[in-house]
Structure formats: structure tokens, C-alpha cells
């Protein structure tokens, strides 16, 4: 990064920080997403075959008001290294739903990788990517991927200390065991070493004061007094185990978790925590249309709780 080729190439080593956002989705949605049992085992990976690119494209092109299919198509292209195609799919997604921070930051990263793949010596963080990251932060100032790349921009511009400060801010907000934790730590150490920035004991101090497990609102012990007995989230170890899966298996697991939650809610529609988790999961996956459908079903099943359900939906950005 910075002005030297060594610095710039060093920074790129960690740039695919949240590629495809599969692991981010795992951390946000949780394994035992809705469980009345005591088992701590992760949900099993769905056994059905993943759809082909052609099938994903057909589903996307048939969708007029749901960004989800376009997001899934973009994800599939990204993980195959087809970054230009991923850009096109994510652009279609944000045309349908421009309120999702995760969609904008996914588009930004795809634009970064598309330029990198096509012209290795081009601007590593082109204006179109920066625009997408800025839009992501306008919608959610905590979006990890956008925050990461905006710090990258500072480093490229020569503000190495500012970049490191930005990554430290992100690290402080990153739960222990989050999928992107190691990448942020490695980037801080790498950029500091290349640019002779003395970290002192700052890294060890930050690492010692962070949240001890993946914090999902309303889930498990991470939520403290607000914990729900029926909505559970993953532990740091479970997230670490998920990192060993292939990306296809991660996608299958996520799809299985969300589908399983939806099926269980059909049999227990009075569970408000479950409906909120389903809405949150759909928004995490960029499926705003399905999130709205979940809200409508929740309200229909619980008319007396409509005000609270709509309040929770509003906090998630569902109108």
C-alpha cells in the first residue's frame, strides 16, 4: 500500500476480507437459529445440490422486486472469480433495493476485484468501488467490509497511521471469533511493519478487551438479560469450525438454517423472537423482499403484536 509497490502488494494480500460475505452471514444468522432443544451441534449442511449459474440467473431475471436472487447470483460469480459478472449482478441487486448496506459493500468489493483481475496495475481502489462503500456506510455506519476498505483507502493515500486507526476501530467492534477477525489483525500487523509504525502494546490491549463471543441480538448468553431461550447463536468455536468448510458448503448451511427457521415458524407462528431473527437473516442475505414477506406473515399471525414487530422491522431497515 502507500507509495511503494511493496506496500501496495502487501496490502492486497488481505483484501479479499469478506469475499461473498458467506462467513459474515454465518456469524450474523447463527447455527442454532431457532431451537427448543439443548443441542450445541451446528445445523447440518443441506443435502440438496446448489443451483447452477444458469439457474441462478434465470431466477434473478424473473425477479422484479426482490434483490435476493441477484445477490445470490453475485455471490456465486464472486466465489468463482468471475468478478465482472459479480459486479453486474450486484448492480442489479442495488437497483432493486438500494437500502441494504451489505449489498453496497459487496458491490464495492466486487468492483475492487474486477479491476484488480483485469488490470493489475490499475487504481487498486477505483472511484466506483469507493462510491459503493460510501453508500454502504450511509446506510449502516457499522458495515465491516466498507469500514475495512475505507481504511485501505487511507493507507493507499499515504495516511498509514489513519488506516491503522481505522482497522483498530473495526477490530474493537469485532466479536472474538468473527470470520474477518484474523484478516484485520494481519492487515494491521502487516501495514505497521511495512511502514515502520510502532504499535506498542495497542494490539494486545484491544484483543484483551473485546466481546468474548459472537454477539447476536436476542441470542444465547451473548445477549445477556435480553437473551431469548428459543433463538440461539453460534459460539466462537462453531464459527471457527465453519471456516473449515468449503464456500459451497457454507452457502448450503446458510440456506438450510434460514429455511429451517421459516419451517419451524410455520408450526410455531407465535414466536416473536423467531420472526425477528428470520427478518434479520433475510436482510443479512440481502433478501429485502423476503424480509418484508416475513414481516407480513408475522403480523398476520400475531396481530396484537403488530406495533412491536413493525418497530423491530424498522430497526432492521424494513419498511
Amino acid at each position: 500500500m502507500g507509495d511503494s509497490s511493496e506496500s501496495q502488494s502487501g496490502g492486497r494480500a488481505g483484501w479479499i476480507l469478506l469475499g461473498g460475505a458467506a462467513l459474515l452471514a454465518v456469524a450474523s444468522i447463527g447455527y442454532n437459529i431457532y431451537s427448543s432443544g439443548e443441542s450445541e451441534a451446528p445445523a447440518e449442511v443441506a443435502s440438496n445440490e446448489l443451483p447452477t449459474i444458469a439457474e441462478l440467473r434465470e431466477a434473478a431475471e424473473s425477479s422484479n422486486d426482490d434483490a435476493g436472487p441477484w445477490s445470490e447470483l453475485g455471490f456465486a460469480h464472486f466465489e468463482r472469480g468471475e468478478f465482472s459478472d459479480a459486479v453486474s449482478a450486484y448492480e442489479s441487486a442495488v437497483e432493486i433495493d438500494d437500502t441494504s448496506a451489505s449489498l453496497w459493500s459487496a458491490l464495492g468489493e466486487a468492483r475492487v476485484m474486477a479491476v484488480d483481475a483485469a488490470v493489475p496495475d490499475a487504481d487498486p481502489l477505483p472511484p466506483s468501488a469507493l462510491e459503493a462503500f460510501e453508500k454502504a456506510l450511509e446506510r449502516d455506519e457499522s458495515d465491516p467490509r466498507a469500514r475495512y476498505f475505507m481504511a485501505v483507502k487511507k493507507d493507499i493515500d499515504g495516511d498509514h497511521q489513519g488506516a491503522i486507526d481505522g482497522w483498530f476501530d473495526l477490530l474493537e467492534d469485532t466479536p472474538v471469533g468473527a470470520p474477518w477477525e484474523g484478516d484485520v489483525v494481519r492487515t494491521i500487523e502487516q501495514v505497521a511493519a511495512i511502514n515502520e509504525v510502532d504499535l506498542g502494546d495497542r494490539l494486545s490491549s484491544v484483543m484483551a478487551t473485546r466481546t468474548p463471543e459472537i454477539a447476536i441480538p436476542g441470542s444465547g448468553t451473548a445477549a445477556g438479560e435480553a437473551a431469548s431461550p428459543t433463538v440461539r447463536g453460534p459460539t466462537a468455536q462453531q464459527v471457527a469450525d465453519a471456516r473449515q468448510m468449503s464456500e459451497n458448503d457454507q452457502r448450503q448451511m446458510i440456506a438450510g438454517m434460514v429455511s429451517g427457521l421459516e419451517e419451524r415458524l410455520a408450526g410455531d407462528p407465535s414466536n416473536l423472537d423467531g420472526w425477528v431473527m428470520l427478518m434479520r437473516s433475510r436482510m443479512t442475505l440481502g433478501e429485502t423482499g423476503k424480509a418484508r414477506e416475513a414481516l407480513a406473515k408475522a403480523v398476520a399471525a400475531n396481530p396484537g403484536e403488530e406495533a412491536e414487530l413493525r418497530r423491530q422491522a424498522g430497526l432492521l431497515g424494513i419498511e
Side-chain angles (χ1 to χ4, degrees):
M1 295 183 185
D3 296 329
S4 70
S5 59
E6 177 187 9
S7 177
Q8 193 172 67
S9 62
R12 287 202 179 189
W15 269 26
I16 309 179
L17 174 67
L18 300 173
L23 284 170
L24 178 59
V26 170
S28 298
I29 295 170
Y31 285 89
N32 299 315
I33 192 167
Y34 166 74
S35 172
S36 58
E38 298 299 323
S39 173
E40 295 295 329
E44 294 184 1
V45 174
S47 60
N48 56 299
E49 293 294 326
L50 288 172
T52 65
I53 289 289
E55 290 170 336
L56 288 171
R57 178 164 293 282
E58 181 179 1
E61 291 176 344
S62 299
S63 173
N64 296 320
D65 59 357
D66 186 357
W70 286 106
S71 176
E72 292 172 7
L73 179 61
F75 174 90
H77 279 305
F78 192 102
E79 69 175 4
R80 289 160 61 101
E82 299 165 352
F83 302 119
S84 293
D85 290 330
V87 168
S88 296
Y90 282 126
E91 286 177 342
S92 294
V94 297
E95 284 181 8
I96 295 173
D97 177 17
D98 69 352
T99 67
S100 170
S102 62
L103 285 180
W104 279 108
S105 64
L107 172 58
E109 188 177 26
R111 284 173 171 172
V112 168
M113 299 308 298
V115 171
D116 188 22
V119 186
D121 294 328
D123 183 350
L125 210 56
S128 61
L130 284 174
E131 179 186 20
F133 293 134
E134 288 167 352
K135 287 183 180 294
L137 292 174
E138 287 172 3
R139 287 148 179 80
D140 180 3
E141 61 184 13
S142 68
D143 184 89
R145 178 166 34 197
R147 292 172 66 186
Y148 175 83
F149 278 104
M150 294 308 288
V152 167
K153 173 60 175 172
K154 290 184 178 180
D155 190 52
I156 291 172
D157 291 343
D159 182 8
H160 309 303
Q161 185 64 61
I164 290 172
D165 289 343
W167 289 316
F168 265 118
D169 288 343
L170 174 57
L171 184 60
E172 288 176 352
D173 294 337
T174 296
V176 173
W180 59 95
E181 174 188 20
D183 294 300
V184 177
V185 171
R186 182 173 59 251
T187 301
I188 290 172
E189 293 176 327
Q190 178 176 273
V191 173
I194 290 173
N195 297 287
E196 300 181 348
V197 176
D198 183 10
L199 297 178
D201 62 355
R202 187 177 181 185
L203 185 56
S204 59
S205 296
V206 169
M207 295 294 284
T209 58
R210 289 161 55 238
T211 307
E213 59 183 280
I214 299 297
I216 301 175
S219 65
T221 58
E225 294 180 356
S228 164
T230 55
V231 181
R232 305 169 64 88
T235 65
Q237 183 59 52
Q238 287 172 328
V239 172
D241 291 342
R243 299 184 73 177
Q244 306 306 313
M245 294 181 179
S246 69
E247 291 179 339
N248 281 351
D249 283 350
Q250 290 166 18
R251 289 176 61 198
Q252 288 179 315
M253 180 176 67
I254 293 167
M257 288 191 298
V258 178
S259 295
L261 170 61
E262 196 163 35
E263 290 174 4
R264 285 186 287 271
L265 284 171
D268 182 17
S270 64
N271 189 288
L272 301 185
D273 284 341
W275 285 113
V276 173
M277 180 60 80
L278 178 60
M279 289 188 287
R280 181 184 298 114
S281 301
R282 292 300 189 191
M283 292 300 287
T284 297
L285 296 173
E287 299 173 345
T288 306
K290 292 182 179 179
R292 294 193 184 104
E293 290 177 10
L295 172 60
K297 290 179 180 179
V299 169
N302 303 276
E305 301 292 341
E306 180 175 1
E308 176 61 16
L309 286 166
R310 292 196 181 280
R311 185 186 75 82
Q312 292 283 354
L315 294 175
L316 296 171
I318 304 170
E319 299 177 353

